[in-house]
Amino acid sequence: MNFIITAGPTREYLDPVRFLSNPSTGKMGFAIARAAVRRGHRAVIIAGPVALKTPSRVKRIDVVSAREMFAAVKHSLSSEKGECVFVAAAAVADWRPMKCARRKLKKTQMSSVVKLVRNPDILKQVSGCMKVGFAAETDNMLAEAHRKCREKGLAFIVANDVTRHGCGFGTDTNCVCLVRPDGSCQMLKMMSKLSVATRIVREIESLYRTSQDTTLKRRRGRSEND
Ligand code: PMT
């Protein structure tokens, strides 16, 4: 399969020296790319500004803002041949300043000049492939993850409680729960991000096999009725 993976933060500049962002390092998304190629898949990472080396055999596209990330995801999905899965591990800024000032804003201008507008929801808007999301939560993790899974039309969502030690932003480990559209979930123990990534890739493979079997059975049923 072709894995298209977003990783890291986005930056939304308000002037040449200031931006809105978050502490994502890209470790989780890069681990998924590494796990995918190890298991014989092709992988493209679309990365926000991060300081990580590109894993071998992985194609990398660097972006800065959410809108650039969205354009790169759409381009990759339309140019990859064969079955694609989109895994959104990036922490995309939900808002951006309406305008980016050409020159550094004065402190006194900030609150009157900076107006925020919504960024596109990349994961929600993409279609035509299997979609897997992440949910970085501080409260009501399972309920929030389940809501996002249904609203964004996902095969499943990987929920992480980012307040827990060793989980979420910047860590080498993660402790996640795989939440499905029917609300069922599977809590995994704390492990390295690479092990979490391998578990996610296996889950995707298993869902893909099941969907192939169902399609085959439907086709057989139809030809027997003809
Ligand atoms: O990069 P690391 O330091 O390793 O940290 C890993 C991580 C904490 C960033 C990762 O495990 C994680 O949880 N990523 C998702 C963070 C997030 O933005 O969650 P969210 O609940 O706000 O978004 C839900 C989903 O929609 C995510 O898959 C997100 O990529 C996607 N989304 C959100 C907003 C938007 N405008 N476009 C999107 O595609």
Side-chain angles (χ1 to χ4, degrees), residues 12-34:
E12 313 297 331
Y13 277 88
L14 35 130
D15 71 12
V17 298
R18 302 184 185 95
F19 52 81
L20 301 176
S21 194
N22 61 70
S24 172
T25 56
K27 285 181 183 176
M28 192 64 248
F30 276 57
I32 294 166
R34 190 168 283 129

Side-chain angles (χ1 to χ4, degrees), residues 143-162:
E144 282 302 306
H146 186 215
R147 179 182 63 76
K148 288 175 187 177
C149 185
R150 280 184 294 117
E151 282 179 6
K152 300 189 189 210
L154 310 181
F156 65 96
I157 193 160
V158 184
N160 37 194
D161 176 348
V162 293

Side-chain angles (χ1 to χ4, degrees), residues 98-109:
M98 192 189 279
K99 281 186 193 152
C100 173
R102 284 228 205 112
R103 303 198 166 271
K104 187 177 172 187
L105 292 167
K106 299 278 171 238
K107 277 182 216 123
T108 48
Q109 293 177 297

Side-chain angles (χ1 to χ4, degrees), residues 24-28 88-92 94 120-123 133-137 148 152 160 168-170 174 193:
S24 172
T25 56
K27 285 181 183 176
M28 192 64 248
V92 183
D94 289 314
D121 188 322
I122 303 170
L123 184 55
F134 272 75
E137 304 298 340
K148 288 175 187 177
K152 300 189 189 210
N160 37 194
F169 295 104
N174 209 355
K193 281 187 172 165

Side-chain angles (χ1 to χ4, degrees), residues 105-219:
L105 292 167
K106 299 278 171 238
K107 277 182 216 123
T108 48
Q109 293 177 297
M110 297 292 253
S111 60
S112 56
V113 169
V114 179
K115 298 221 165 27
L116 297 179
V117 292
R118 287 301 295 262
N119 265 330
D121 188 322
I122 303 170
L123 184 55
K124 191 169 182 180
Q125 290 189 28
V126 153
S127 61
C129 59
M130 187 196 292
K131 299 196 288 183
V132 174
F134 272 75
E137 304 298 340
T138 55
D139 300 290
N140 303 323
M141 181 179 83
L142 294 180
E144 282 302 306
H146 186 215
R147 179 182 63 76
K148 288 175 187 177
C149 185
R150 280 184 294 117
E151 282 179 6
K152 300 189 189 210
L154 310 181
F156 65 96
I157 193 160
V158 184
N160 37 194
D161 176 348
V162 293
T163 62
R164 278 188 66 180
H165 184 71
C167 297
F169 295 104
T171 52
D172 290 320
T173 52
N174 209 355
C175 181
V176 304
C177 189
L178 308 187
V179 181
R180 303 187 180 85
D182 64 4
S184 63
C185 53
Q186 191 176 1
M187 192 80 200
L188 306 184
K189 63 178 180 3
M190 185 165 318
M191 49 181 125
S192 70
K193 281 187 172 165
L194 186 56
S195 300
V196 171
T198 305
R199 185 67 191 72
I200 293 167
V201 172
R202 283 172 184 266
E203 183 73 16
I204 290 167
E205 289 167 351
S206 152
L207 285 173
Y208 180 66
R209 272 195 302 272
T210 310
S211 77
Q212 293 285 88
D213 289 350
T214 314
T215 316
L216 211 64
K217 274 184 200 146
R218 250 193 237 128
R219 275 202 202 126

Side-chain angles (χ1 to χ4, degrees), residues 3-10 24 26 29-30 33 43-50 54-55 58-80 85-92 122 126:
F3 279 67
I4 314 284
I5 303 152
T6 60
T10 63
S24 172
F30 276 57
V44 178
I45 297 180
I46 297 156
V50 295
T54 312
V58 170
K59 180 178 166 189
R60 173 173 178 169
I61 302 170
D62 287 309
V63 296
V64 175
S65 67
R67 285 185 295 172
E68 283 175 21
M69 187 172 270
F70 192 20
V73 168
K74 285 191 284 191
H75 176 75
S76 297
L77 282 169
S78 64
S79 50
E80 289 297 320
V85 54
F86 176 47
V87 185
V92 183
I122 303 170
V126 153

